[in-house]
């Protein structure tokens, strides 16, 4: 393995990396912050730069724009494509870092561009480890963008030695060690054997995995598993152990409503702990409201437990929609007020939408093979009104529940 492997899908020479982090590149990045990678822009930059550095400027500008939904200070940060894709956004990272508060130090392994490292550095003395020398330098600079000037990132492998002298650690194992993404923990890097050895050396740990990852049985029995969503998408599964696990042996679903476009005063964190796989009692009839669990609840297999907490019945066996005559105050449930119920018939749907001048249309599908994008084209909604179509089996047949999304359910 080379000392400095490629930074994600964007191989960067160490000399070019040093230049990118320097004053000349900074001036170019500021001057071209709004630039697009047009032939004219490329030609202009190549008048004074080698081709690879001109490309690096435009790539950094592009990635900074794309990173704005993950980092409030993205315009001062550095990324690779894969590094940005895999990075924990700052709001989720802050939430996770709260469990590290008060530790004498914390270490972030496989730190990538430093999303989790930055948050850890806000609550405890922190340092990072990444085998990619370019990403290690990026992570240091990104930490500095958040005012953390003394956060060091070492370029080396994640190993037992890397955690032996720290109080607690976080790791985001490489899910593409062979070039293709995998949800099999045994195929991650570091290996499962190495992760277990690291845990034996320092048991206070957080392991970040893909939401669909299959955690080993011992982890499910002895550690806390938490699925975290933000922006309507389940982003990660975190396996907490040692003193960082507040509910050892249990499952937690957490939804974070926060972001660059949402004021801090409106931020919300909702969480629920319960048993996996609980049965959902069927409803005898469709109530005034249909409730949909948050993606984190679905990923954690906590739908049944959440339904039981609020006394909700299932719309149809095997379909994650609940119903009730009164919508519970539960931020982990999206509420829809039922307006009509009809068979799955395109002409009838189109007529229903036209009669009500519905132009802003949300289509959600569960339990049926219906393509929402294709159906939208067929329906051609027009008008100023809005509605949601919940398409799912009802009494064993395809049905459409036309509804109005309730603005807030918290």
């Amino acid at each position: 393995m080379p000392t400095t492997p490629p930074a994600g899908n964007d191989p960067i020479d160490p000399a070019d990396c040093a230049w990118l982090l320097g004053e000349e590149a900074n001036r170019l990045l500021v001057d071209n912050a709004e630039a697009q990678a047009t032939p004219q822009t490329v030609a202009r930059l190549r008048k004074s730069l080698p081709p690879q550095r001109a490309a690096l400027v435009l790539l950094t500008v592009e990635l900074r724009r794309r990173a704005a939904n993950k980092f409030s200070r993205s315009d001062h940060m550095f990324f690779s494509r894969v590094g940005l894709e895999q990075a924990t956004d700052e709001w989720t990272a802050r939430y996770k870092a709260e469990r590290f508060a008060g530790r004498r130090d914390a270490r972030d392994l496989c730190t990538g561009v430093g999303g989790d490292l930055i948050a850890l550095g806000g609550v405890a003395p922190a340092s990072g480890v990444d085998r990619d020398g370019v990403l290690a330098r990026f992570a240091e600079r990104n930490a500095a963008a958040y005012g953390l000037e003394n956060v060091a990132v070492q370029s080396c492998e994640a190993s037992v030695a890397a955690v032996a002298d720290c109080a607690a650690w976080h790791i985001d194992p490489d899910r593409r060690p062979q070039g293709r993404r995998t949800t099999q923990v045994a195929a991650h890097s570091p290996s499962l054997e190495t992760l277990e050895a690291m845990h034996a050396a320092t048991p206070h740990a957080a392991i970040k995995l893909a939401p669909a990852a299959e955690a080993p049985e011992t982890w499910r029995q002895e550690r806390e598993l938490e699925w975290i969503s933000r922006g309507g998408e389940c982003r990660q599964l975190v396996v907490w152990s040692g003193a960082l696990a507040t509910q050892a042996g249990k499952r937690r679903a957490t939804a974070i409503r926060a972001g660059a476009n949402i004021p801090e005063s409106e931020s919300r964190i909702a969480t629920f702990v319960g048993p996996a796989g609980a049965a959902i009692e069927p409803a005898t009839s469709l109530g005034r409201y249909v409730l949909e669990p948050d993606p984190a609840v679905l990923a954690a297999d906590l739908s049944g437990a959440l339904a039981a907490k609020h006394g909700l019945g299932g719309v149809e066996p095997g379909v994650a929609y609940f119903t009730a005559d009164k919508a519970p105050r539960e931020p982990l449930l999206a509420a829809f007020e039922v307006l009509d119920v009809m068979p799955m018939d395109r002409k009838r749907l189109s007529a229903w939408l036209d009669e009500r001048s519905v132009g802003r249309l949300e289509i959600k599908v569960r339990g049926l093979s219906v393509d929402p994008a294709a159906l939208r084209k067929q329906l051609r909604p027009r008008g100023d009104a809005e509605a949601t179509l919940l398409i799912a089996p009802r009494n064993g047949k395809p049905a459409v529940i036309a509804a109005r999304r309730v603005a807030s359910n918290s």
Side-chain angles (χ1 to χ4, degrees):
M1 179 176 293
T3 304
T4 305
N9 289 336
D10 314 304
I12 301 177
D13 180 84
D16 288 336
C17 174
W19 173 82
L20 181 65
L21 298 176
E23 286 302 317
E24 180 186 8
N26 182 63
R27 288 192 296 272
L28 289 167
L29 289 169
V30 171
D31 292 343
N32 292 276
E34 304 300 323
Q36 303 292 331
T38 63
Q40 293 82 1
T41 304
V42 172
R44 174 171 55 79
L45 288 172
R46 285 188 176 183
K47 288 180 180 179
S48 59
L49 295 174
Q52 71 273 16
R53 291 190 176 178
L56 202 50
V57 168
L58 292 174
L59 174 64
T60 302
V61 167
E62 174 201 341
L63 294 179
R64 284 180 170 183
R65 277 197 292 262
R66 288 170 48 191
N69 71 334
K70 281 193 169 188
F71 300 99
S72 62
R73 303 184 189 180
S74 63
D75 54 349
H76 299 291
M77 299 173 72
F78 296 86
F79 308 96
S80 71
R81 293 185 191 277
V82 173
L84 173 57
E85 178 187 334
Q86 296 179 340
T88 300
D89 67 84
E90 71 176 73
W91 301 275
T92 301
R94 270 189 219 151
Y95 166 75
K96 291 161 58 181
E98 291 174 0
R99 298 202 190 195
F100 289 81
R103 307 281 163 185
R104 61 175 171 80
D105 62 4
R107 190 145 305 151
D108 187 35
L109 298 99
C110 304
T111 196
V113 299
D116 284 294
L117 175 65
I118 292 166
L120 291 175
V123 300
S127 58
V129 168
D130 201 287
R131 65 185 180 188
D132 184 323
V134 169
L135 290 185
R137 296 198 66 183
F138 283 1
E140 286 185 341
R141 181 60 67 87
N142 293 342
Y146 280 82
L148 303 172
E149 299 289 348
N150 298 315
V151 171
V153 182
Q154 186 179 2
S155 180
C156 65
E157 295 284 347
S159 64
V160 174
V163 301
D165 62 342
C166 70
W169 50 280
H170 173 280
I171 191 168
D172 182 3
D174 184 3
R175 302 167 202 166
R176 312 183 189 201
Q178 306 301 323
R180 297 182 62 183
R181 185 194 301 266
T182 176
T183 58
Q184 299 299 313
V185 178
H188 289 176
S189 179
S191 66
L192 180 58
E193 180 182 7
T194 300
L195 290 172
E196 294 287 46
M198 293 164 65
H199 181 267
T202 304
H204 314 303
I207 300 176
K208 172 187 169 183
L209 301 173
E214 275 294 324
E217 179 62 28
T218 55
W219 293 10
R220 296 197 294 270
Q221 295 295 327
E222 301 171 4
R223 307 184 191 184
E224 179 183 352
L225 274 59
E226 180 176 23
W227 282 261
I228 303 175
S229 72
R230 185 179 79 89
E233 179 182 347
C234 190
R235 307 280 178 164
Q236 56 187 266
L237 159 60
V238 183
V239 181
W240 301 99
S241 63
L244 299 182
T246 60
Q247 298 279 348
K250 295 186 178 180
R251 294 188 174 206
R252 179 187 297 273
T254 298
I256 298 174
R257 183 179 179 269
N261 298 320
I262 299 177
E264 285 296 323
S265 61
E266 295 184 16
S267 297
R268 299 284 190 275
I269 295 177
T271 193
F272 174 72
V273 177
I280 302 173
E281 293 297 322
T284 55
S285 61
L286 193 66
R288 179 180 175 185
Y289 295 94
V290 169
L291 296 309
E292 179 186 40
D294 184 86
V297 175
L298 294 171
D301 195 15
L302 293 176
S303 297
L306 189 60
K309 174 186 174 182
H310 294 290
L312 305 175
V315 169
E316 184 80 359
V319 177
Y321 284 140
F322 312 137
T323 188
D325 287 324
K326 182 179 180 180
R329 294 181 61 82
E330 172 57 73
L332 289 170
L333 291 170
F336 302 87
E337 185 177 10
V338 177
L339 303 176
D340 205 344
V341 182
M342 64 195 90
M344 181 62 193
D345 180 275
R346 184 180 62 79
K347 289 185 178 180
R348 182 169 174 179
L349 276 177
S350 185
W352 191 94
L353 297 172
D354 288 343
E355 288 171 7
R356 291 159 181 79
S357 299
V358 173
R360 299 192 299 277
L361 180 64
E362 179 182 26
I363 302 175
K364 304 176 77 66
V365 180
R366 291 202 183 280
L368 295 171
S369 57
V370 175
D371 181 352
L375 179 60
R376 181 186 300 276
K377 287 183 179 180
Q378 293 173 350
L379 295 175
R380 294 184 297 175
R382 296 175 297 275
D384 298 325
E386 60 183 60
T388 299
L389 301 182
L390 305 172
I391 302 174
R394 179 72 180 143
N395 298 321
K397 297 180 180 181
V400 178
I401 301 172
R404 177 185 65 84
R405 180 184 279 271
V406 177
S408 176
N409 201 34
S410 58

